[in-house]
C-alpha cells in the first residue's frame, strides 16, 4: 500500500483646476492624515444614490463592514480616526458602484451566487504582453479565436497601464493608473476588449502595481515639486540614519542594477525608498490617503471590466525597522480591507497575490488559518514551479514531493495559479531544510540549478542565462523560455530528433502537472508553440541590461500557423497542450477545491498525486527511461481509465507503463 502524505492541498490635493472628466486625472482626495490626526470628526461624505445597484450596495456593505473596520483598525487605529477613514472609503466605493455598468452589475449578481467560479476545471489561463502578442489591444481582440482553440478562459495581459517613458521595468513603473499605455490603445479599448472576453466567458486579468509608482506619476511629481501632502505618499528620509537601520535586515531584489533599497533624490533633499529600481518609488501605506487612492484606482479599473487583479509585489507594502519588511501583518490587513471594499463595490472581481516568498509566508496571502476567503483568492504557486525545473534537472521527484508535502494547506475557498514559466526569472527557492532531506546543501543545489539551466553544467540540455548574480550571497537566478530551458533549443540547433522528442516531452510533462495539480494553470505566451529564447532581446532600447527579455519574445505568427502542419514542433506542442486543456475541463475532480494528496510510489523518479481523495490520479515519470508501476494499492485499479492519450502511457490490469518523461492522468 503506497503511503500517502496529506498535502494539500492541498490624487491630487483638491484641485479645482483638474476636471474630473479628464480620463487620466486624479479625483481629489482630502488630506485624511491632516484632518483625522487632528482628531476632527470629518463630516460624513454623501453617498451617491440612488442607483439600480444601491440596494445591493447597502446589503454588501452591511456584510463586509466589520471586516473592513477590523482590518483598518489594526493598521490605522493608533494613528488616525478609523471611522472617518471608513466613511471616506465607503464614499469612494459608492461612487464606483453607482457608475458600474449593467453588464457588470449582472456579473456581480451572478458571482455572488457562484463565489467559487474561478475554481472550475474549465479555467485555463494564458499570459501575454498585448504588444508582443498582437500589436495592441485591438490586435488582441482579433486573436481571441486562437486563444479559444487552445482552451483559454482567463487572459492575463501583462502591465498595460501608462508607464514612465524610457526604462520602465516591463511596465511595472506606472505613471498613470487611469490611462492605458498609448502604444496599446485607450481605456475605451480596454473596456471593449473586456466586453469581448466576457461574451466568450473569458476573464480579463491585469496587473495592479500596488507597492510603488513610477517617479513620473503625478503623486511623485507633486512630491518632487515640494508638495508636502504628496511627499507623505512615499517614504522620504532626510538623511541616512533610518535607511541605514532598515538596510541591516533588507534583501536586494535587483542587486546588479539597484543595490540597496534607497535612492537619493536631490530635488526632495531626501532618500526615497526604492525596493526595486531607482525610478520605482515605494508607496507609504502608513498614510491612509495612499490606501484610499489605491481603492479608488482599483474600483475604477474594475469598472472597465477587469475581473482578476494581479496585485504586484504585495509583500513589500509595509515596513518596520528590524524586519525584512516583507509579509508583515499589516500587509495582510491592508489586503483584507481592500478585498472587503471590493466585495461591496464590485463583487465579481478576485485578487491574485504576486508574492514570491517562502511557502509558509505565501499561504498567508490566501488567508491560511481562517475558514473563509478574506484576502486574496489566488496566489502564484512558485514552489511548484521551481520544483518542476529542479526535478527535470535531477531526473528525480523526491525533493519535489518532500517540499510540497511540507506546504501549509490553503483554505479550500482559495486556489493557486500553477505555472511553468512567467515573464520573470526563476529564483531557486530551495530551502536548506528541503535540500537537507536529500542530503544536499541548499546553496549547493541552488548553484547546481543555476549552472544546469545556464547550460554550463556538463551534459545539460538547457540554454538559459544567469540573471542578477549576487557576489555577496553567491545567488543567481535564471532567464529563458520553457522551450529553451527544457532542451528544445539545444535539440533544434544540433538537429537531433531523439533529443527533440525528449525535450518536447519535458515541456508537456511539467505542463501536465500545472494543469492538474490544483489551481488555474497558466500558459505563458509562446510555450504552446515552443518559442525559443529571443537572442536579439538586447537590440531593443531599454532592454539591453535585462535578460528577462530573452523569455519575452514577440509572438511568431508564422510559427503559430504551423500548428496545423503535422510533424512540426508547433503542431505537436499546440496539440498536446490543447489536449491537456480539453481533458482538464472535462474532469470534475480537477476543481480547485478538490484537495491534492501526494502519493509515494516508492520510486524516486515518479511524482504522483491524487485529487479529491480518489477518482483522479496523476503519475509522472521524470526519468529518461520507461517505468512500470503496479497501481494495485492505489484506489480501485480495476476501474481506472486514461482520459487522455498522453504520449504513450499504457494501463493494463492495474499496471501502468510510462514512457520516458511520460505521464498519465487516471480517472476512476
Ligand atoms: C514583480 O516581481 C514583477 O513580476 C517583476 O517583473 C517586477 O520587476 C517587480 O515586481 C517590480 O514591480 O522580485 O524578481 O515577492 O518577488 O514582486 C521579481 C514579490 C520580483 C517579488 C516580486 C517581484
Amino acid at each position: 500500500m503506497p503511503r500517502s502524505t496529506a498535502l494539500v492541498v492541498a490624487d491630487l490635493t483638491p484641485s479645482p483646476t483638474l476636471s474630473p472628466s479628464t480620463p487620466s486625472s486624479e479625483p481629489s482626495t482630502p488630506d485624511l492624515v491632516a484632518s483625522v490626526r487632528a482628531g476632527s470628526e470629518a463630516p460624513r461624505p454623501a453617498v451617491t444614490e440612488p442607483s439600480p445597484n444601491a440596494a445591493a450596495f447597502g446589503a454588501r456593505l452591511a456584510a463586509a463592514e466589520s471586516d473592513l473596520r477590523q482590518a483598518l483598525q489594526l493598521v490605522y487605529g493608533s494613528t488616525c480616526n478609523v471611522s472617518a477613514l471608513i466613511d471616506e472609503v465607503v464614499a469612494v466605493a459608492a461612487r464606483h458602484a453607482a457608475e458600474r455598468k449593467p453588464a457588470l452589475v449582472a456579473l456581480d449578481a451572478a458571482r455572488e451566487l457562484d463565489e467559487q467560479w474561478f475554481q472550475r476545471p474549465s479555467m485555463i489561463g494564458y499570459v501575454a504582453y498585448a504588444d508582443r502578442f498582437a500589436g495592441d489591444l485591438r490586435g488582441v481582440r482579433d486573436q481571441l479565436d486562437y486563444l479559444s482553440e487552445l482552451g483559454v478562459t482567463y487572459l492575463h495581459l501583462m502591465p498595460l497601464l501608462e508607464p514612465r517613458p524610457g526604462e520602465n521595468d516591463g511596465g511595472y513603473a506606472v505613471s498613470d493608473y487611469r490611462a492605458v499605455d498609448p502604444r496599446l490603445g485607450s481605456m475605451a479599448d480596454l473596456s471593449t476588449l473586456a466586453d469581448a472576453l466576457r461574451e466568450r466567458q473569458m476573464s480579463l486579468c491585469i496587473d495592479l502595481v500596488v507597492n510603488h509608482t513610477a517617479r513620473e506619476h503625478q503623486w511623485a511629481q507633486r512630491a518632487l515639486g515640494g508638495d508636502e501632502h504628496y511627499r507623505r505618499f512615499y517614504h522620504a528620509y532626510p538623511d541616512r540614519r533610518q535607511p541605514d537601520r532598515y538596510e541591516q535586515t533588507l534583501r536586494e531584489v535587483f542587486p546588479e542594477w539597484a543595490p540597496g533599497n534607497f535612492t537619493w533624490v536631490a530635488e526632495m533633499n531626501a532618500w526615497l525608498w526604492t525596493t526595486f529600481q531607482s525610478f520605482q518609488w515605494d508607496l507609504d501605506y502608513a498614510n491612509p490617503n495612499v490606501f484610499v487612492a489605491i481603492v479608488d484606482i482599483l474600483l475604477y479599473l474594475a469598472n472597465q471590466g477587469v475581473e482578476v487583479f494581479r496585485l504586484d509585489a504585495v509583500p513589500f507594502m509595509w515596513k518596520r525597522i528590524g524586519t525584512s519588511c516583507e509579509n508583515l501583518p499589516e500587509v495582510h490587513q491592508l489586503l483584507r480591507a481592500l478585498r472587503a471594499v471590493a466585495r461591496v463595490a464590485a463583487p465579481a472581481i478576485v485578487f491574485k497575490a504576486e508574492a514570491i516568498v517562502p511557502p509558509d509566508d505565501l499561504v498567508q496571502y490566501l488567508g491560511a488559518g481562517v475558514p473563509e476567503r478574506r484576502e486574496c483568492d489566488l496566489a502564484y504557486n512558485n514552489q511548484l514551479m521551481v520544483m518542476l525545473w529542479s526535478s527535470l534537472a535531477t531526473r528525480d521527484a523526491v525533493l519535489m514531493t518532500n517540499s510540497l508535502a511540507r506546504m501549509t494547506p490553503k483554505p479550500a475557498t482559495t486556489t493557486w495559479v500553477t505555472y511553468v514559466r512567467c515573464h520573470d526569472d526563476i529564483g531557486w527557492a530551495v530551502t536548506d531544510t528541503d535540500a537537507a532531506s536529500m542530503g544536499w546543501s541548499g546553496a549547493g543545489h541552488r548553484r547546481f540549478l543555476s549552472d544546469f539551466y545556464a547550460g554550463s553544467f556538463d551534459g545539460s540540455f538547457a540554454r538559459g542565462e544567469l540573471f542578477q548574480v549576487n557576489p555577496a550571497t553567491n545567488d543567481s537566478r535564471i532567464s529563458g523560455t520553457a522551450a529553451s530551458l527544457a532542451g528544445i533549443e539545444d535539440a533544434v540547433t544540433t538537429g537531433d530528433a531523439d533529443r527533440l522528442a525528449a525535450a518536447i516531452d519535458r515541456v508537456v510533462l511539467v505542463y501536465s502537472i500545472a494543469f492538474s495539480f490544483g489551481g488555474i494553470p497558466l500558459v505563458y505566451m509562446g510555450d504552446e508553440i515552443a518559442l525559443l529564447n529571443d537572442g536579439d532581446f538586447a537590440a531593443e532600447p531599454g532592454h539591453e541590461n535585462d535578460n528577462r527579455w530573452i523569455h519575452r519574445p514577440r509572438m511568431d505568427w508564422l510559427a503559430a500557423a504551423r500548428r496545423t502542419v503535422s510533424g512540426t514542433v508547433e503542431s505537436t506542442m499546440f496539440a498536446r497542450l490543447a489536449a491537456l486543456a480539453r481533458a482538464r475541463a472535462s474532469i470534475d475532480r480537477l476543481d480547485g477545491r478538490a484537495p491534492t494528496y501526494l502519493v509515494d510510489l516508492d520510486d524516486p523518479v515518479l511524482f504522483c498525486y491524487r485529487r479529491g481523495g480518489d477518482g483522479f490520479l496523476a503519475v509522472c515519470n521524470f526519468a529518461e527511461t520507461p517505468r512500470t508501476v503496479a497501481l494495485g494499492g492505489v484506489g480501485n485499479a480495476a476501474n481506472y481509465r486514461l482520459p487522455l492519450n498522453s504520449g504513450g502511457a499504457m494501463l493494463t490490469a492495474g499496471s501502468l507503463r510510462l514512457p520516458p518523461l511520460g505521464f498519465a492522468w487516471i480517472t476512476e
Side-chain angles (χ1 to χ4, degrees):
M1 180 76 174
R3 285 156 281 153
S4 74
T5 328
L7 147 72
V8 178
V9 155
D11 117 301
L12 288 177
T13 319
S15 163
T17 57
L18 278 171
S19 152
S21 62
T22 309
S24 65
S25 72
E26 291 293 330
S28 61
T29 61
D31 195 333
L32 270 169
V33 176
S35 70
V36 182
R37 281 216 174 109
S40 68
E41 198 60 61
R44 288 202 159 239
V47 170
T48 323
E49 62 176 315
S51 82
N53 211 5
F57 184 89
R60 289 170 189 151
L61 180 58
E65 200 175 352
S66 78
D67 226 23
L68 181 63
R69 181 172 297 276
Q70 278 177 28
L72 293 179
Q73 184 68 37
L74 285 165
V75 180
Y76 299 112
S78 58
T79 55
C80 86
N81 178 335
V82 170
S83 292
L85 174 58
I86 289 174
D87 288 345
E88 180 72 16
V89 169
V90 170
V92 170
R95 176 161 49 79
H96 289 289
E99 286 168 0
R100 205 152 159 80
K101 64 186 181 186
L104 296 176
V105 170
L107 187 68
D108 288 337
R111 295 260 167 94
E112 282 192 294
L113 297 174
D114 179 24
E115 286 202 310
Q116 297 289 311
W117 61 276
F118 58 87
Q119 305 264 19
R120 294 210 174 91
S122 57
M123 292 298 292
I124 287 151
Y126 192 81
V127 187
Y129 290 88
D131 57 335
R132 302 181 94 74
F133 177 57
D136 57 16
L137 295 177
R138 284 165 192 243
V140 173
R141 212 173 355 132
D142 294 337
Q143 295 298 353
L144 298 186
D145 285 343
Y146 176 81
L147 297 178
S148 292
E149 193 184 325
L150 190 59
V152 171
T153 54
Y154 165 119
L155 177 60
H156 173 197
L157 291 177
M158 295 297 294
L160 47 72
L161 300 178
E162 188 165 353
R164 75 192 290 267
E167 259 186 81
N168 58 40
D169 190 21
Y172 287 102
V174 177
S175 66
D176 190 345
Y177 293 88
R178 290 166 203 273
V180 164
D181 181 345
R183 296 177 310 116
L184 303 177
S186 63
M187 198 50 84
D189 293 330
L190 184 67
S191 279
T192 308
L193 174 61
D195 290 344
L197 288 165
R198 199 162 53 250
E199 273 158 29
R200 288 180 183 241
Q201 318 237 327
M202 288 186 191
S203 295
L204 175 63
C205 168
I206 72 165
D207 287 83
L208 184 60
V209 186
V210 286
N211 178 66
H212 47 270
T213 74
R215 124 181 209 130
E216 286 70 20
H217 190 280
Q218 280 184 342
W219 302 335
Q221 290 297 304
R222 290 287 178 114
L224 281 164
D227 185 330
E228 265 306 308
H229 178 82
Y230 287 101
R231 184 181 171 104
R232 291 201 303 267
F233 269 47
Y234 301 95
H235 301 267
Y237 305 95
D239 54 50
R240 281 298 306 186
R241 268 181 309 165
Q242 292 285 81
D244 285 344
R245 286 182 64 202
Y246 278 113
E247 283 287 15
Q248 287 172 18
T249 50
L250 298 179
R251 68 180 172 112
E252 293 175 320
V253 178
F254 295 137
E256 278 187 25
W257 309 321
N261 288 275
F262 299 86
T263 300
W264 174 250
V265 177
E267 297 93 318
M268 287 168 69
N269 214 6
W271 289 93
L272 268 283
W273 198 308
T274 54
T275 297
F276 297 92
Q277 299 187 63
S278 57
F279 51 78
Q280 291 164 299
W281 291 12
D282 288 42
L283 286 163
D284 185 1
Y285 280 88
N287 176 351
N289 293 311
V290 171
F291 178 75
V292 177
I294 291 292
V295 167
D296 198 5
I297 288 166
L298 169 79
L299 297 180
Y300 169 78
L301 293 169
N303 281 359
Q304 311 306 313
V306 175
E307 296 184 21
V308 182
F309 285 90
R310 174 193 181 277
L311 302 178
D312 182 63
V314 285
F316 303 93
M317 287 168 75
W318 197 267
K319 331 281 191 193
R320 182 174 299 117
I321 286 278
T323 73
S324 65
C325 297
E326 286 184 61
N327 315 308
L328 291 173
E330 286 84 352
V331 171
H332 295 290
Q333 298 304 329
L334 285 166
L335 293 173
R336 180 181 171 200
L338 209 55
R339 176 182 156 78
V341 192
R343 297 290 298 152
V344 176
I349 67 172
V350 297
F351 291 157
K352 175 169 62 168
E354 192 270 321
I356 308 306
V357 297
D360 286 344
D361 294 320
L362 177 58
V363 287
Q364 308 300 324
Y365 292 90
L366 295 174
V370 296
E372 283 298 310
R373 272 187 295 156
R374 285 276 183 268
E375 299 190 35
C376 295
D377 311 281
L378 302 167
Y380 285 85
N381 196 333
N382 179 66
Q383 198 64 30
L384 176 65
M385 183 276 288
V386 167
M387 285 301 139
L388 294 174
W389 292 105
S390 173
S391 302
L392 285 179
T394 59
R395 284 88 161 167
D396 181 308
V398 178
L399 178 67
M400 172 153 64
T401 302
N402 290 351
S403 93
L404 295 174
R406 239 189 284 282
M407 281 178 79
T408 312
K410 57 160 189 62
T413 52
T414 66
T415 200
W416 301 111
V417 289
T418 48
Y419 62 114
V420 167
R421 282 301 286 120
C422 72
H423 70 293
D424 278 330
D425 53 288
I426 307 175
W428 301 117
V430 178
T431 64
D432 293 342
T433 311
D434 287 342
S437 76
M438 306 293 295
W440 305 336
S441 86
H445 188 54
R446 294 191 293 269
R447 182 76 250 162
F448 159 73
L449 290 170
S450 279
D451 290 346
F452 188 92
Y453 283 105
S456 54
F457 187 85
D458 210 24
S460 166
F461 47 73
R463 299 259 177 118
E465 286 198 8
L466 293 179
F467 178 75
Q468 301 293 322
V469 179
N470 188 337
T473 60
N474 206 21
D475 261 349
S476 56
R477 288 125 68 177
I478 282 288
S479 289
T481 66
S484 290
L485 295 180
I488 297 183
E489 184 171 337
D490 175 66
V492 167
T493 50
T494 57
D496 185 317
D498 290 341
R499 278 204 250 168
L500 178 59
I504 293 174
D505 285 341
R506 265 182 214 112
V507 177
V508 177
L509 175 65
V510 288
Y511 263 104
S512 80
I513 298 171
F515 271 69
S516 61
F517 191 75
I520 304 178
L522 304 180
V523 176
Y524 184 65
M525 189 207 85
D527 286 358
E528 76 279 17
I529 54 165
L531 281 191
L532 305 179
N533 285 345
D534 178 1
D536 294 331
F537 80 90
E540 259 177 87
H543 295 179
E544 49 279 68
N545 294 323
D546 185 350
N547 71 21
R548 291 177 298 175
W549 290 98
I550 204 169
H551 54 255
R552 302 169 181 175
R554 287 179 192 285
M555 187 59 174
D556 182 344
W557 289 105
L558 283 174
R562 288 196 292 271
R563 73 189 182 279
T564 60
V565 181
S566 73
T568 59
V569 173
E570 292 84 2
S571 75
T572 306
M573 192 64 85
F574 193 97
R576 295 186 73 184
L577 293 194
L580 283 176
R582 277 193 306 274
R584 169 181 156 85
S586 73
I587 301 173
D588 295 343
R589 291 295 168 140
L590 296 183
D591 185 289
R593 282 165 286 189
T596 304
Y597 300 97
L598 295 174
V599 178
D600 182 348
L601 291 175
D602 268 336
D603 182 341
V605 303
L606 297 179
F607 182 58
C608 179
Y609 48 99
R610 289 186 287 140
R611 295 294 310 279
D614 58 11
F616 179 91
L617 183 75
V619 188
C620 309
N621 177 14
F622 278 85
E624 290 169 11
T625 50
R627 278 301 196 269
T628 301
V629 203
L631 293 175
V634 196
N636 188 356
N639 295 335
Y640 281 155
R641 302 279 173 273
L642 295 177
L644 178 70
N645 177 0
S646 41
M650 287 190 321
L651 185 64
T652 31
S655 169
L656 175 70
R657 189 188 168 279
L658 286 176
L661 298 165
F663 71 96
W665 285 3
I666 302 167
T667 51
E668 221 177 301

